[in-house]
Amino acid sequence: GSLASPPPSYQWRKNGQEIAGATSRFLNIFGVQAADLGGYDVVVANGLGSVTSRVAQLSFVVAPQISENPVSQVAIVGSTATFRVVAGQGTPPLSYSWTRDNTALPNTTATLVITNVTVSDAGGYRVIVANAGGAATSQAATLTVQEPPRITGQPENLLKPAGGSARFTVGAVGQPAPGYQWYRDGIALSGSARHSGVSSPDLQIADLVLTDGAEYLVVAANPAGSATSRVAQLTVQLPPVIVVQPADRAGLIGGAMSLAPQVTGTPPLRFQWYFNSQPVPGETGPSLVRQQLLRGHQGRYGFVVSNLVGIVVSRDAYLRVRSRQSIGQLTSLAGGEFRLVFGDSGGEVMAADLSSNFVIEASGDLANWSVISTNGADVVSTNLQLQFRDRSAPGLNRRFYRVFER
């Protein structure tokens, strides 16, 4: 404002140059353009003199506009990711506010640098560029973080029987989730009727044969890299098979007996022989030999055979121990019957349950013999010997006897 008498006149100037028509106390500029920027003053005058105001600077703030948005990218864990924004116009100073998935980040510059990238850094990144004239928000840029595979669980060595199945399992992590390829002795496996899961964490092999025994490993891979498991050994063995079972045997007291079955299977084969269902101490070989047979050796013999992949039980073989018989006392009974006492020539105990083992024959002339007792008929046990009562003797003048053990 101004005070003067007589009343003054006014002349506005821009950058020292008079503005035509600008002769009032107020200077109004509508629709300010860049060309209007500059220094403005006014000359106030009357008949007594003039005075010039101080210069007032006219300027305006240009709101920011983004000309280059941050670009999506892929980074591997441990590497560095960089996002950059360019504001094509905007009056300084400009401020920058970065966010990840709408969460504010501490960075305040046009460039966002993420060092030692982790999986948690993945997400959508934006930046707001602002000044006193306004703000502009960038397009979202996606950071995809990839992690090379890492083996977390190794496949284990396996021992399996032929004809069975085997399963190898591996654990692995990575981003994105890794794919798998199994190898046998360094050669990639293909899916087949017997091989499944060749491109998965679980490899399964069915109907095993000896040639499946080999070294197996798996490679886990994704776009960020690969990891190889340790080598796992598959050993395939033949379980025991009894080709020829032990056969029933008979032997004489004092003699010898052997049981020699035939067994196949991957060595070492372990045997244990049993007598009447009880283990025989020390009898752990593929055959059993009994020397100096006694009545007490008579009974059921069998074995169990095993190896690392199987076990099988044999049938029982029955060993019958016989003895030459010695006829002792012959007694004439009332009514013409005879009583015959006999027993083992070696004096072995004659248990009652042996009575059915004998065949007794009789003859009147030592040339023609007939069977008069089988299956223990009329035979009883007494005083460690057996007695036979011949009920067919009455009316005969003489009688010869012989005894056989079956």
Side-chain angles (χ1 to χ4, degrees), residues 5 42 74 77 79 105 165 185 200 204 212 261 273 292 299 309 347 357:
S5 182
V42 61
V74 176
V77 168
S79 65
L105 299 174
S165 62
D185 287 340
S200 78
Q204 298 187 53
D212 288 322
W273 285 88
Q292 297 297 315
V309 293
N357 294 345

Side-chain angles (χ1 to χ4, degrees), residues 90-106:
T91 302
L94 300 176
S95 66
Y96 300 87
S97 300
W98 289 88
T99 62
R100 180 185 69 241
D101 294 335
N102 299 320
T103 299
L105 299 174

Side-chain angles (χ1 to χ4, degrees), residues 13-14 18 25 57 64 72 99 123 130 238 262 286 301 309 325:
R13 299 185 306 174
K14 173 191 174 189
E18 292 184 353
R25 290 181 59 194
Q57 193 71 34
S72 297
T99 62
L238 294 172
Q262 293 183 20
Y301 289 84
V309 293
Q325 297 300 301

Side-chain angles (χ1 to χ4, degrees), residues 332-338 389-396:
S332 177
L333 305 175
E337 296 181 358
F338 289 100
R389 186 172 182 174
D390 186 1
R391 301 181 187 278
S392 64
L396 299 176

